[in-house]
Every structure is written in C-alpha cells, then in structure tokens.
Amino acid sequence: GKGLTSHLSADYPACLVATEYLTALEGPFWMRLRGKGLTYNYRLYLNIAEGLTYFSLGQSTSVAKAYKEALDIVQATITSGELAEQEIHGAKSA
C-alpha cells in the first residue's frame, strides 16, 4: 500500500524525525553504512506526491550488502523502540 500522501497526516512529523534520525551525521546509517565502507552516500526521503519513501545509495562498494544493512538498521530501530534522546532532539531540529 501507499505511505503518506499528505503533509497534514498525523504521521508526517514522526516520519520526518525518523528519517532525520536514521540519516544524521554520525547517526545509524552513517555509522553502519558509511562507517563500514559499504557506501559513501545514502539518501532516505519521503515523496508525499507519490506516497512513497525512497532510499538510494551512491558510490557503494557493495549495493546488496548496503541495502541489507540499511534494512537491518531500520528493523532494529523499529523493534527496539530505543532511540537516543540527544539524537532525537537533533533530528527534530534539522
């Protein structure tokens, strides 16, 4: 199914914060994707007009491993429900 299709959605702010949290400098993606040398660039963003969330990699040494690691990061973040408060504050400010 489709994701968010309106900036007025009650879930929109939380999705923006989650996206910023995951992709922040020295955040989960930075540490585990770039830090492990799997990719130099990554992007995770919401496209409200299409109702889709996009994830892309740039200058990846191993696309399959980088995508798998990103999936693991997202699933672990959702499952644990534990987010660093300081990083959440930073994501909200971004």
Side-chain angles (χ1 to χ4, degrees):
K2 281 201 167 196
L4 298 176
T5 56
S6 171
H7 292 95
L8 301 176
S9 168
D11 293 328
Y12 183 67
C15 287
L16 286 180
V17 170
T19 299
E20 282 297 324
Y21 173 83
L22 291 168
T23 60
L25 182 64
E26 297 191 19
F29 279 8
W30 192 90
M31 298 293 286
R32 290 179 51 189
L33 296 177
R34 188 170 176 167
K36 290 183 176 181
L38 296 174
T39 190
Y40 186 74
N41 296 315
Y42 50 83
R43 186 167 181 220
L44 179 68
Y45 63 98
L46 305 172
N47 184 316
I48 298 299
E50 296 177 7
L52 298 172
T53 300
Y54 286 94
F55 176 67
S56 63
L57 300 168
Q59 298 175 310
S60 180
T61 58
S62 176
V63 174
K65 286 181 184 177
Y67 272 104
K68 173 70 169 99
E69 188 72 17
L71 177 61
D72 290 348
I73 293 166
V74 171
Q75 288 177 330
T77 301
I78 292 168
T79 302
S80 74
E82 296 177 17
L83 305 174
E85 188 60 38
Q86 183 175 357
E87 291 172 1
I88 291 292
H89 179 68
K92 287 179 181 179
S93 300

